[in-house]
Each structure stands twice: as structure tokens, then as C-alpha cells.
Amino acid sequence: MERNIPLTVEFTGGLEMLFSNQRVHKISIPARDDRKEPSNVGFLIKHLCDNLMKDPRKEMFVIDDSIRPGVLVLINDADWELEGEDRYELQPNDNIVFVSTLHGG
Amino acid sequence: MAPCEICTTNRAQILRPKTRSRVCGPCFTAAFEAEVAETITTTHLFQPGERVAIGASGGKDSTVLASVLQTLNIRHGWKLDLVLLSIDEGIQGYRDHSLEAVKRNSADLGLPLKIVSYEELYGWSMDQVVAQIGKKGNCTYCGVFRRQALDRGAAMLGVGHVVTGHNADDVAETVLMNLLRGDLPRLSRATSIVTSTPSASVNKDGGPNGAVSFTNVKRSKPLMYAYEKEIVLYAHHKKLDYFSTECIYSPEAFRGSARTLIKNLERIRPESILDIVQSGMDMAKLVPDTDDACKGSAETAQTEESAGGCGNANGTSKEGEMAAMERKLRENEQAEQDGTEHEVRLPAKAANGQRHDRDTTNLDIPIRTKERRGNRKAGRHAATPAQKLGQCERCGYLSSQAVCKACVLLEGLNKARPRTDIEVGGSGG
């Protein structure tokens, strides 16, 4: 029996609006996804949409089940493109940051 | 985990969009700063000791611009006299929050801050404008007012050069929009790092020696080769304090679609963004009389640019309406020249309006289609040279018309008439 994975998730660049106007969230997610695979960032994103997002404007964050182009994802402060994108398998205490570049000043 | 390609020791954190190189945070910020410095030095953007106002909205682009310029100014001993210049459009729940971010930037960077409000300049805040005319079309007012506001603010500070935070994504967006509108003559302005160098004749006429009048303020965009992604990551790694927001009055529009297209392209092929910018610059060179066209339509083109600087970045400017209003104003002027009066309904008919637009602003463009040539009237052609960049007879601002657009819009507001009632003869004075 695996336990949940504790994570720190951060939303900035306007995305915090979708998540109770709160920038940093300490959450934990199941260690395995629905298909009993180790939970990855793709699963986390779906989990966030289903459980943490309080605003109906989901399309500001996700389009067609993937991150909206223009939203940057940082895994432990590195571009997620360097870490395998949504296939990156989450480790306990990982820090995942979502930054929108789409909003103005 | 691959190491940084520059220092080869730290963990790579950033995949750079233009080179696809993998670099660590410190090497990235150093490279970003070096590239902005190179842009500035190779284009001779600043004079040593020059006073420069940074158009600051509190958003990511202008916050990064202010931070990088301050850093480079100290590092390279440019001796620039930098100030922050913010425009308060008077939109509760939008600008009030971002102005707080600008105030924090001012304190953090140790740069003085000047805030100029629409209310003090025009007697109308945007909240009041919207109360009067409704949400539809208010971006036209905001864009026209902002352009002048930055120039007037700069003049109040005695500053002859305003830099704005337009980035490569913004420029690529504008290039695409100009292509989609068939408006190649505007490419030059969109892709020039320095815009709005006012005509020498106006300089001579206006103001005492050396004094900065609001008609001779230079504009430039030092970040026009910087990816938006890298601007955001620079702010992230330098832990800069910026505010992200959407203007509460601006709905998604044409620019938003162009923006989505750009972002989708970036995901597939990141080089596309700078390639579009480069294509825009190259195409601008192919458009004859570009410089003249720019001068002739300086005021309108400037409005376009400032709209980009608006929510812009957020992809919500109502460019279409802005363009329609501009066309309408130009048509008004044309009507005066023709000695005819005709009421122009909003929204202006695109095809028709655009032909007027080209006829009045762009004289001879050989690559135009036969259709357009056929459409041009001899009388109209002859009347065109009469349009010169002069000064608004009411406020003295640069204008190709007797009365500048801001004054026309203000007259409409002050008469408490809705926007659709601005008439051809009456508004022209």
C-alpha cells in the first residue's frame, strides 16, 4: 500500500485567480493514478482541475486536456520540457510551479 | 539531468526557445541581460547620460525592462537617468492594484516614479468614460488617450525618450495582425526598435531650445527580441515583483486570436516567434514609401502601437474597433477635403474603410492590386499631399488633422453624446 505524495504547487502570472486567489498550495495526491501507474505531472494537472480549481474558467489553464500554450510549468524550478513534461513521475516534496505568460500588466 | 551548457556544472533549468540550449538559472539571467545590452548597443538606442522614462504598468514586461535597464546602466556605466512613468487610466480594480506593484518596483530599484492620470489630463477617467459610452468601444478611447498620456508624462518630466516593454511575442502578434488585415505599410512601425521620431519641423516650431515638448518624444522597445517566455522566467529567477491582471473592460478580440496562434506555433517550433519578427522586418523593407507612410499616418500608427502596450500583452485589446475608429476619423477628414459630408456608421465597413485608409495615408504603393488602383479617384489622389503632420489646433499634439483624435473623442464625451454621434463636420472643427 503506497501512501500519498506530498507536493507544493504554486500558481502565478494570473493563474492564482483560478485557485482561490492563493498562490501556494500544499497538497498530496495518490501515489498511483487510475491505471495504477506512478503518478506523473499529467495526472497532477487533471487532479488540480478536478479537485483544487475553484473557478469555471478552466480553459485559462488547460485546453484539450493539456496545459494551455503560454502557461509555463516548472518542476523543482526547471522547465518541464527538460524533465519529460507531463510524463515526469512525481517525487515526494516536489515543487511544481505553473506560470501564465498570457496576462498583462 | 543534463548540466548547463554554459557553465557545465549547474543543473540545466531553462530550455531557451531561440537556440534550444539548456542552461542554468544564473547563466540564463546573465545571457538574457547580455543580449538586451547587445540590442541596445548595436542599435545605439541611448545617448550617454540620456534621460529615459520607462513606461511602467506593473506587469511582467515593464518590470523586467526596468530591472534589466537599471542593472545594465550600473554595470556598463551608461549614466542613463532612468525614471518610471505610469499611466493611471482610472479603472478601479485593475490599475489601482498594478500601480501598487509599480510603487514597489520604484522603491526596490531606487528609481523615481511619475504617475499621470487620464483624469488630470483629460478630465475623464476610464471608469467615467465607460459609464458614459458603455463597455463597447471603450478601448478606442483608452488607446488614443494612453498614447498622448505617455508623451505628456515624459514632457512633464523633461524626458525625450520613452521605452516600453513590448517583447518579441507582441511584435510577432502585431506583424501577423497587419498581415491578416492586409496592412503592410504598418509593418515598419511594428518591427522598428525606435518608433515615433517626430518630424524635425515640429521640433523647431515647438517649445524653447532644448526643452522637451510632448510632441518630440522618442519611443523605443529594447525587449523586442526577447521571448515572452524568457521575460517571465527572468522575472521568476530574479524574484521580481510584478502584477498580472486583465483589464476589466476589454474582451477577447483579434489580437487574442493572433496571440493564440503564436503560442501554438511556439509549442511546435519556438524559433517561429523571432522568425515572424524577422519576416516582418524584411517585408517592411519591401513596402515602398514606408517612411513617408509612417509620417503621414503617424498619429494613427502610434495609436496602434500603444494599443499593443495596453492589456495587450494579455491579448485583449480591441484592435478591430480601434482600427474602425481610426478609419472613421480618416474618412471624416477625407470628407472635409472632398467638401462632402457623409455620416459614417460604426462599425465601419471593413473593405470600404480600408480603401479610404490606404488612399489617405499611403500614396503610391506599386505592389497593390489592380482592384485598388481602379478604385482610386484622381481627385482623392490629388488631395492627399495636403495631409501633413502638424499640430492639433486645440491641444498642440502631433496630428495629421486640424484637431487630434483625443480632442475629437473628448469633444464627443464632453457633449455627453454617445460615440456613434460623433459627426463628420462637427468634430473636425
Side-chain angles (χ1 to χ4, degrees), chain B residues 137-207:
Chain B
N138 78 85
C139 294
T140 302
Y141 290 77
C142 200
V144 170
F145 288 171
R146 181 181 300 100
R147 171 77 207 173
Q148 286 203 9
L150 273 173
D151 288 351
R152 288 175 188 273
M156 287 178 198
L157 291 165
V159 178
H161 190 166
V162 175
V163 292
T164 54
H166 292 89
N167 60 44
D169 296 51
D170 296 331
V171 175
E173 253 169 56
T174 308
V175 168
L176 270 189
M177 287 162 53
N178 288 334
L179 288 182
L180 296 173
R181 287 200 200 108
D183 206 354
L184 289 183
R186 283 201 180 167
L187 282 177
S188 175
R189 176 161 295 277
T191 56
S192 299
I193 191 160
V194 176
T195 54
S196 147
T197 346
S199 71
S201 61
V202 174
N203 280 355
K204 274 181 230 140
D205 295 344

Side-chain angles (χ1 to χ4, degrees), chain B residues 301-329:
Chain B
Q302 285 159 1
T303 311
E304 170 98 7
E305 192 211 343
S306 65
C310 148
N312 52 50
N314 58 22
T316 51
S317 297
K318 274 226 118 180
E319 293 286 331
E321 247 164 59
M322 176 84 80
M325 176 63 86
E326 284 166 14
R327 278 198 295 276
K328 187 183 147 203
L329 290 165

Side-chain angles (χ1 to χ4, degrees), chain A:
Chain A
M1 281 293 123
E2 290 188 69
R3 281 163 301 182
N4 285 352
I5 304 177
L7 299 170
T8 302
V9 182
E10 200 175 327
F11 302 97
T12 68
L15 286 174
E16 54 272 47
M17 277 187 296
L18 303 181
F19 297 91
S20 321
N21 273 316
Q22 185 182 328
R23 188 172 167 146
V24 179
H25 296 254
K26 300 268 186 194
I27 63 166
S28 68
I29 67 163
R32 301 256 163 192
D33 66 16
D34 306 338
R35 287 170 304 179
K36 306 297 176 201
E37 301 288 331
S39 293
N40 60 23
V41 171
F43 176 73
L44 169 68
I45 289 163
K46 186 172 181 301
H47 179 88
L48 294 174
C49 290
D50 294 344
N51 298 290
L52 199 62
M53 194 183 292
K54 299 287 185 233
D55 194 287
R57 290 171 291 177
K58 184 182 168 186
E59 72 284 352
M60 286 170 65
F61 184 52
V62 165
I63 290 178
D64 296 333
D65 292 328
S66 53
I67 285 287
R68 175 172 178 168
V71 174
L72 307 180
V73 186
L74 304 179
I75 298 170
N76 298 323
D77 227 18
D79 247 345
W80 77 330
E81 290 153 293
L82 298 173
E83 305 286 338
E85 302 200 16
D86 56 354
R87 294 181 309 282
Y88 171 85
E89 290 179 10
L90 293 160
Q91 307 299 317
N93 304 312
D94 273 349
N95 186 309
I96 313 293
V97 181
F98 297 93
V99 197
S100 178
T101 66
L102 301 168
H103 304 282

Side-chain angles (χ1 to χ4, degrees), chain B residues 110-401:
Chain B
L111 295 177
L113 166 65
K114 169 80 177 171
I115 299 175
V116 192
S117 74
Y118 282 6
E119 182 135 34
E120 70 184 272
L121 287 181
Y122 308 112
W124 289 81
S125 70
M126 278 310 293
D127 283 340
Q128 291 167 334
V129 170
V130 170
Q132 171 98 352
I133 66 157
K135 284 191 181 185
K136 202 159 180 262
N138 78 85
C139 294
T140 302
Y141 290 77
C142 200
V144 170
F145 288 171
R146 181 181 300 100
R147 171 77 207 173
Q148 286 203 9
L150 273 173
D151 288 351
R152 288 175 188 273
M156 287 178 198
L157 291 165
V159 178
H161 190 166
V162 175
V163 292
T164 54
H166 292 89
N167 60 44
D169 296 51
D170 296 331
V171 175
E173 253 169 56
T174 308
V175 168
L176 270 189
M177 287 162 53
N178 288 334
L179 288 182
L180 296 173
R181 287 200 200 108
D183 206 354
L184 289 183
R186 283 201 180 167
L187 282 177
S188 175
R189 176 161 295 277
T191 56
S192 299
I193 191 160
V194 176
T195 54
S196 147
T197 346
S199 71
S201 61
V202 174
N203 280 355
K204 274 181 230 140
D205 295 344
N209 306 348
V212 177
S213 88
F214 57 85
T215 55
N216 57 5
V217 176
K218 171 180 167 183
R219 285 290 183 99
S220 68
K221 31 186 191 280
L223 298 182
M224 69 168 276
Y225 300 111
Y227 276 76
E228 189 156 62
K229 172 184 172 180
E230 297 207 329
I231 286 172
V232 169
L233 288 177
Y234 184 88
H236 175 80
H237 285 281
K238 298 281 275 188
K239 298 195 171 16
L240 300 180
D241 176 9
Y242 68 90
F243 190 81
S244 308
T245 185
E246 298 294 350
C247 177
I248 54 176
Y249 294 138
S250 63
E252 286 274 339
F254 194 42
R255 183 175 282 274
S257 305
R259 182 169 192 73
T260 302
L261 179 56
I262 297 261
K263 293 294 182 194
N264 288 336
L265 287 170
E266 181 185 26
R267 173 166 281 191
I268 301 161
R269 186 177 170 278
E271 300 89 333
S272 301
I273 291 179
L274 275 184
D275 287 347
I276 293 170
V277 172
Q278 185 61 49
S279 298
M281 293 165 74
D282 292 344
M283 282 187 284
K285 289 184 204 138
L286 299 175
V287 181
D289 298 323
T290 299
D291 289 343
D292 289 345
C294 263
K295 276 176 207 149
S297 62
E299 200 195 344
T300 53
Q302 285 159 1
T303 311
E304 170 98 7
E305 192 211 343
S306 65
C310 148
N312 52 50
N314 58 22
T316 51
S317 297
K318 274 226 118 180
E319 293 286 331
E321 247 164 59
M322 176 84 80
M325 176 63 86
E326 284 166 14
R327 278 198 295 276
K328 187 183 147 203
L329 290 165
R330 275 193 294 265
E331 282 173 330
N332 293 354
E333 184 200 16
Q334 189 64 55
E336 282 169 52
Q337 287 173 0
D338 292 351
T340 56
E341 265 195 33
H342 59 111
E343 181 122 0
V344 183
R345 274 164 274 108
L346 271 186
K349 277 186 190 156
N352 192 22
Q354 277 181 356
R355 272 181 210 117
H356 279 287
D357 169 355
R358 288 179 192 136
D359 283 344
T360 42
T361 54
N362 311 304
L363 307 181
D364 265 308
I365 297 158
I367 53 174
R368 286 287 168 219
T369 60
K370 290 161 263 159
E371 182 209 341
R372 177 178 167 275
R373 282 193 175 264
N375 220 327
R376 181 189 287 157
K377 289 184 204 158
R380 200 153 270 191
H381 189 46
T384 315
Q387 182 179 10
K388 283 217 183 89
L389 193 56
Q391 287 175 275
C392 170
E393 64 189 29
R394 296 198 192 154
C395 74
Y397 192 71
L398 281 187
S399 176
S400 53
Q401 301 162 49

Side-chain angles (χ1 to χ4, degrees), chain B residues 71-93:
Chain B
T71 301
L72 294 176
N73 192 29
I74 294 166
R75 181 178 299 161
H76 297 293
W78 287 342
K79 298 188 170 61
L80 299 178
D81 186 359
L82 299 172
V83 293
L84 300 175
L85 173 59
S86 288
I87 306 301
D88 183 358
E89 297 92 345
I91 304 175
Q92 281 271 327

